[in-house]
DNA sequence: CTCAAAAATTCCGAAAGTATTCT
DNA sequence: CAGAATACTTTCGGAATTTTTGA
C-alpha cells in the first residue's frame, strides 16, 4: 500500500480551450493483427508491450482529426471533414468492395481480440486482414524495448514529476488514506451494522464526520439541537430548514414563503405568494394543502426491484391533430403555389416553421427532410398546381416555404397580442385538459407524472453531426403505445376510434407508457416527475453508491496504478482507462453505431483524439456527449503517458481505437468486482461531489450572504468544469459584457469626480496624499473621458427632451395646449452649464461640489460606497465572463449530492432558496431533511 | 409607483448517453 | 458471447417565467 504513495494518480489540467483545433491529418487507417487465441493473445500482448515506445514521441503523427472549429459542430459548416475524413481513409485501404462494412473496420481489433471463433468465422467486417501499410512517419522508428513488469520503472520515461501538482497529489493521497481508513472501519462496524432495522432517530456521533455508517445514517437526526452547536441559527429558529420528522403535516406548510421574504430583502412585498395561480386547484408545490406527505426516506429501506404494488393513471396525452393551413397558405414550387395533401402539407409546414433556424441551412438536415418529404408526397398523391395538375417536386431549391413561415409567424404574433386575461384563460383551459394526466396514483399516493405528453411529430433535431437529422419524426398513434398499469385497475380509455398497443402490469419498472420512435428505433417512456418518490429514491441511492465508493477508491487507485504496468495489454488498457475516468471524469464511452453522430467517451477514444505532448502531457480533443467538445491539455503520470504512447503505437493510426482491448462491459464488470453496483459513471458522481465538498471546505464562514452565494457558485463551477458541462455563449453576451464594462468605467469616472470634489475643497490634499489622487489607469485616457462627458450630456439631453415630449403628449391628450419649443430650449440650458463645468473640470482637475454643506468627510463616505459598487460590478462582470461557456446547472441537478448544499446552507446560514430553485428543492426534498450542518459526503 | 422592455433565471422537451438484461 | 432490447440518467438549447432596469 505504502508503495503507492508515490504514484498517486494525478493530473493537472491546463488550458481548456474552445478554439478551433488543427486541421485534420490525412487519415491513414491501419488494421491491427487479429488475435487468435488466448495464449496467442497473451503472447501478442507481450510483444506489443515490448514494442518501441520512445521512438514514437518525435515521429508519430500527432494531428487530431477533430479539426473544425467551434465547440459545437455547427451543422451548416460544409467543409467538416470529421466523419467524412474517416470513411475515405478506410476506404482507401479496404480496396475490397465499397461502402458496406467500411467504418466498422476501425474497431476490428477490438471485436476480434475477444474470441477466437468469432474471429475466424466472423463477418467480413472483422476480416483478419493485416495491413502492412504503416504510416510513413512511424515506419522507421528506432526500437527501444520495454519489458514487462519489474524494470518497467518510471525512470525510463522522461518525467517531470516535480512539476506535477503537489497540491493535487496531496489531496489524493489524503483521500486514499481516508478511503483505506474507512474500509477498515467498515469491516469493524460490519457486525454492528446488522441491527439496522428499527428507525430510532439516533442523535449519535455528530462530532465525527467520517463515520463509516452505511445505511442507517440517512434517517439520522435532522437538526437536533442536542449538542447546541448552532447558536445563531437558534435565533431565527422559526424557519428551521429542516422539518421535524414527527410532524407529518402541520409543520410542513407556511414556512417557505416566510424564508423567501426574508431572503429577498428589498424586492419582497411585491408579489411574494400571490402568483400561485389561485385557481384553487392543486396549487402545486407548497406541500399539498393538508394532504399528508409521504416521506419515503423515513421508511425502512427496500430492495428496490419492486417499484410499486398498485399503480393507477390516466394514460397519456396525445398532441392535437394536425390542422390544415388556410387555403391561401401554400408552399411555392417554381414560384407556383402548390396544393399538397394534408400529410405532406404537415411535413412541409414543419420545415416552414424552422426556416429561420440554423437547421434549415444544414445540408444534411435539408437532404434528409427533403427525401422524407418527397416520399410522403408520393404516397399521398403528390402536389398539384392551381390548375389541378400534378407537379413533381424534384428540387429542394425550387421550394419556397416562406408563405408557411410567414403564416406561422403571424400566428405567433397574434397569440402574443392577446390580452393578459385572454392568455390566462387559454392557459387555464390547457391546464384543465392536462390535469388528469399530471398525476398518477402509486401505491395509493398521488405522484406527479413527468412527460405525460406523447412527443409531437416534427423534424428530428439530432445534435451535432447526426446522420439522421432532419428526418420526419412521425406522429405516434395509440396503437403504438403500451401502457403499464396496476392489475385490477381500470385501463384508461384510448382516444376514440383507437386501441392501445398493449397493456402490461410490470411492477419492476417505473414507466407508465412506452412507444418506439421511428427515427432511431429508440424506446421512449412516460415516467414520473423528478420530485416523485421513485425518482427521489433512485437519486438517493445513486449518491449513496457514490459515497460507498469512498471506501474503495483507495484500493481501486492502488490497483489501477499497479495494473498500468501489467504485461497483459487488456489489463493495462483497462487500468489506464480507469485512470482517465477517475481523474478526468470522462464518460465510459459505449460503442456507437454508424447512424449516429460520431462522438466518443473514454473506451471509444480513437487515435486522433489524444495527442502526446512530451514529457508528460496529453492533449485531448474529441466530441463527447451531445457533440460537446472536450479539449484539454492534461498533465498525467509518466506511466499513463507511456501507456497512451504504447496504445497509439503503429501500426495504429487515425481511426483506430486507443483502447482496442477494452469495452465498457469489461470495464464495468471489473469495477463491479470492487463493489456491488460500481460502474464507470459512479466515478463521475463521486468525483463531482467530492470536489464540491473539497471546494466548500475552503470557503470561509464570513461575509454577506451574497458573498457566500458567490463562493458556492465558484465551487459549483469547479465541478462543472471537471465534468465539462458547457453551454453556448448567447449571442447577446458580448454586448451585455461590453455594456457592463462601460458601466464600470462610468462608475470609475464618478469616483474620479468625487476625488476632484475633495480637491476642490481641500487643494492641499494632493500633496499630502499623492497616492490617493493617482490617476485611475482604467480611465486614464483623456479621449475617453471627453467622450464620456459628451455622452453624459447627450443622455441628459435625451432625458429632458423625452420628458418634455411626454408632457406634451399628455397635454394634448387632455385637450390642453402643448408647451412651446422655447420651454424645451430653456430647459436644455442646463446642458450648457454641464458642458462648462466639464470644461472647467478638465482644466483645473477639480470639481465644485453641488449642494450645500458638503464636507470632505461626506465625500469620502460617498467615495467608499462608490468603490464598493465598483468592486461588486467588477466581480459580477468577471463571473459573467468566466461562466459564459460553463453550465452550472447540470452538475447541480445530477452530480453534486444535494445534502452538501443543504449542509452548506445550514452551516453558512444561507437560505436554501438562494441555491436551489423551487423545482430543485422539490426534487431534493429528501435531502433537505436528512443533512445537517455537519453532514459529509 | 407603474409599465414595458430587456435581461436573467428557471423550467421543459427530447436527444443522447450509460448500464444491464435478454436472445 | 455479440448484438439487440430495455430502462433509466444526463444533457443541452430554447421556451416560459421572473426579475431587473429604466423610463
Amino acid at each position: 500500500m505504502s508503495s503507492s504513495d508515490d504514484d498517486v494518480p494525478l493530473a493537472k489540467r491546463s488550458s481548456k480551450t474552445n478554439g478551433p483545433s488543427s486541421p485534420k491529418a490525412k487519415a491513414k487507417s491501419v488494421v491491427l493483427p487479429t488475435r487468435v487465441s488466448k495464449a496467442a493473445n497473451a503472447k501478442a500482448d507481450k510483444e506489443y508491450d515490448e514494442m518501441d515506445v520512445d521512438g514514437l514521441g518525435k515521429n508519430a503523427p500527432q494531428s487530431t482529426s477533430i479539426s473544425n472549429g467551434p465547440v459545437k459542430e455547427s451543422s451548416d459548416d460544409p467543409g467538416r471533414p470529421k466523419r467524412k475524413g474517416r470513411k475515405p481513409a478506410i476506404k482507401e485501404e479496404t480496396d475490397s468492395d465499397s461502402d458496406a462494412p467500411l467504418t466498422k473496420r476501425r474497431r476490428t481489433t477490438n471485436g476480434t481480440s475477444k474470441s477466437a471463433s468469432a474471429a475466424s468465422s466472423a463477418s467480413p467486417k472483422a476480416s483478419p486482414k493485416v495491413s502492412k501499410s504503416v504510416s510513413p512517419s512511424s515506419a522507421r522508428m528506432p526500437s527501444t524495448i520495454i519489458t514487462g513488469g519489474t524494470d518497467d520503472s518510471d525512470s525510463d520515461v522522461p518525467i517531470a514529476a516535480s512539476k506535477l501538482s503537489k497540491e493535487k497529489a496531496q489531496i489524493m493521497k489524503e483521500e486514499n488514506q481516508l478511503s483505506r481508513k474507512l474500509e477498515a472501519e467498515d469491516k469493524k462496524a460490519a457486525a454492528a451494522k446488522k441491527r439496522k432495522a428499527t428507525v430510532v432517530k439516533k442523535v449519535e456521533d455528530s462530532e465525527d464526520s467520517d463515520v463509516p455508517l452505511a445505511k442507517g445514517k440517512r434517517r439520522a437526526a435532522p437538526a437536533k439541537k442536542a449538542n447546541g452547536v448552532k447558536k445563531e441559527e437558534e435565533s431565527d429558529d422559526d424557519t428551521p430548514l429542516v422539518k421535524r420528522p414527527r410532524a407529518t403535516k402541520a409543520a410542513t406548510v407556511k414556512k417557505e414563503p416566510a424564508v423567501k421574504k426574508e431572503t429577498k430583502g428589498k424586492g419582497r412585498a411585491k408579489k411574494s405568494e400571490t402568483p400561485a395561480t389561485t385557481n384553487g386547484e392543486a396549487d402545486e408545490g407548497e406541500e399539498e394543502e393538508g394532504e399528508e406527505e409521504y416521506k419515503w426516506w423515513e421508511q425502512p429501506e427496500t430492495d428496490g426491484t419492486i417499484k410499486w404494488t398498485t399503480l393507477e393513471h390516466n394514460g397519456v396525452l396525445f398532441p392535437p391533430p394536425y390542422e390544415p393551413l388556410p387555403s391561401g397558405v401554400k408552399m411555392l414550387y417554381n414560384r407556383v403555389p402548390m396544393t399538397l395533401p394534408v400529410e405532406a402539407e404537415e411535413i412541409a409546414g414543419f420545415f416552414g416553421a424552422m426556416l429561420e433556424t440554423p437547421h434549415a441551412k444544414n445540408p444534411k438536415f435539408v437532404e434528409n427532410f427533403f427525401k422524407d418529404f418527397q416520399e410522403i408526397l408520393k404516397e399521398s398523391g403528390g402536389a398539384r398546381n392551381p390548375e389541378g395538375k400534378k407537379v413533381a417536386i424534384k428540387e429542394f431549391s425550387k421550394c419556397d416555404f416562406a408563405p408557411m413561415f410567414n403564416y406561422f409567424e403571424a400566428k405567433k404574433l397574434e397569440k402574443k397580442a392577446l390580452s393578459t386575461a385572454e392568455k390566462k384563460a387559454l392557459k387555464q383551459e390547457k391546464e384543465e385538459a392536462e390535469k388528469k394526466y399530471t398525476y398518477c396514483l402509486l401505491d395509493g399516493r398521488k405522484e406527479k407524472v413527468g412527460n405525460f405528453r406523447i412527443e409531437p411529430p416534427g423534424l428530428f433535431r439530432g445534435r451535432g453531426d447526426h446522420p439522421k437529422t432532419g428526418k420526419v419524426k412521425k406522429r405516434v398513434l395509440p396503437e403504438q403505445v403500451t401502457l403499464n398499469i396496476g392489475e385490477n385497475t381500470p385501463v384508461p380509455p384510448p382516444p376514440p376510434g383507437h386501441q392501445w398497443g398493449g397493456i402490461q402490469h410490470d411492477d419492476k419498472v417505473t414507466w407508465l407508457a412506452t412507444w418506439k420512435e421511428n427515427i432511431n428505433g429508440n424506446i421512449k417512456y412516460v415516467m414520473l416527475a423528478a420530485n416523485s418518490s421513485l425518482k427521489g429514491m433512485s437519486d438517493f441511492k445513486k449518491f449513496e453508491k457514490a459515497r460507498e465508493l469512498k471506501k474503495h477508491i483507495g484500493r481501486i487507485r492502488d490497483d489501477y496504478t499497479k495494473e498500468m504496468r501489467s504485461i497483459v495489454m487488456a489489463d493495462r488498457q483497462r487500468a489506464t482507462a480507469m485512470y482517465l475516468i477517475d481523474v478526468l471524469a470522462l464518460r465510459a464511452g459505449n460503442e456507437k453505431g454508424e447512424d449516429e453522430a460520431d462522438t466518443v467517451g473514454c473506451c471509444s477514444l480513437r487515435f486522433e483524439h489524444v495527442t502526446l505532448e512530451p514529457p508528460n502531457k496529453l492533449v485531448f480533443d474529441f466530441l463527447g456527449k451531445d457533440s460537446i467538445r472536450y479539449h484539454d491539455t492534461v498533465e498525467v503520470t509518466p506511466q499513463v503517458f507511456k501507456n497512451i504512447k504504447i496504445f497509439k503505437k503503429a501500426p495504429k493510426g487515425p481511426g483506430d481505437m486507443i483502447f482496442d482491448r477494452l469495452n465498457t462491459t469489461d470495464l464495468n464488470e471489473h469495477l463491479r468486482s470492487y463493489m456491488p453496483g460500481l460502474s464507470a459513471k459512479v466515478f463521475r458522481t463521486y468525483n463531482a461531489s467530492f470536489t464540491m465538498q473539497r471546494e466548500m471546505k475552503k470557503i470561509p464562514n464570513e461575509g454577506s450572504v451574497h458573498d457566500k452565494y458567490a463562493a458556492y457558485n465558484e465551487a459549483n463551477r469547479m465541478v462543472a468544469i471537471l465534468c465539462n458541462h458547457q453551454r453556448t455563449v448567447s449571442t447577446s453576451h458580448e454586448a451585455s459584457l461590453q455594456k457592463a464594462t462601460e458601466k464600470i468605467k462610468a462608475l470609475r469616472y464618478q469616483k474620479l469626480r468625487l476625488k476632484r470634489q475633495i480637491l476642490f475643497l481641500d487643494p492641499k490634499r494632493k500633496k499630502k496624499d499623492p497616492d490617493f489622487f493617482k490617476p485611475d489607469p482604467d480611465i486614464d485616457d483623456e479621449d475617453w473621458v471627453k467622450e464620456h462627458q459628451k455622452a453624459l450630456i447627450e443622455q441628459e439631453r435625451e432625458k429632458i427632451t423625452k420628458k418634455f415630449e411626454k408632457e406634451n403628449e399628455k397635454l394634448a391628450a387632455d385637450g390642453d395646449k402643448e408647451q412651446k419649443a422655447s420651454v424645451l430650449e430653456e430647459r436644455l440650458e442646463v446642458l450648457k452649464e454641464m458642458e462648462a463645468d466639464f470644461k472647467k473640470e478638465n482644466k483645473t482637475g477639480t470639481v465644485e461640489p453641488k449642494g450645500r454643506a458638503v464636507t470632505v468627510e461626506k465625500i469620502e463616505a460617498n467615495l467608499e460606497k462608490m468603490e464598493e459598487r465598483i468592486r461588486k460590478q467588477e466581480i459580477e462582470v468577471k463571473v459573467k465572463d468566466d461562466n459564459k461557456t460553463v453550465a452550472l446547472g447540470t452538475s447541480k441537478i445530477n452530480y453534486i449530492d444535494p445534502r452538501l448544499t443543504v449542509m452548506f446552507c445550514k452551516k453558512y446560514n444561507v437560505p436554501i432558496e438562494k441555491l436551489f430553485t423551487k423545482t430543485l428543492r422539490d426534487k431534493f426534498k429528501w435531502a433537505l431533511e436528512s443533512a445537517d450542518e455537519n453532514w459529509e459526503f
Side-chain angles (χ1 to χ4, degrees), chain A residues 303-311 442-443 484-487 504-511 534:
Chain A
D303 134 276
T305 50
I306 301 296
K307 303 296 183 0
W308 48 267
T309 44
T310 69
L311 175 61
L442 187 122
D443 291 350
N484 191 42
I485 197 162
E487 242 161 341
Q504 64 169 65
H505 318 282
D506 187 347
D507 61 0
K508 288 174 199 63
V509 295
T510 67
W511 52 266
L534 282 175

Side-chain angles (χ1 to χ4, degrees), chain A residues 305-316 439-443 449 454 478 480-492 500-515 523-528 534:
Chain A
T305 50
I306 301 296
K307 303 296 183 0
W308 48 267
T309 44
T310 69
L311 175 61
E312 284 178 62
H313 61 84
N314 290 314
V316 291
Y439 289 93
C440 71
L441 236 46
L442 187 122
D443 291 350
V449 181
I454 294 285
Q480 299 165 260
V481 177
T482 298
L483 298 187
N484 191 42
I485 197 162
E487 242 161 341
N488 316 319
T489 36
V491 174
W500 292 119
I503 303 291
Q504 64 169 65
H505 318 282
D506 187 347
D507 61 0
K508 288 174 199 63
V509 295
T510 67
W511 52 266
L512 310 186
T514 185
W515 74 93
I523 304 168
K524 302 278 188 161
Y525 300 93
V526 172
M527 289 182 185
L528 296 192
L534 282 175

Side-chain angles (χ1 to χ4, degrees), chain A residues 826-837:
Chain A
E826 202 175 304
R827 290 195 198 167
L828 288 175
E829 283 300 303
V830 199
L831 302 181
K832 296 218 171 107
E833 235 172 88
M834 272 175 85
E835 208 180 330
D837 283 350

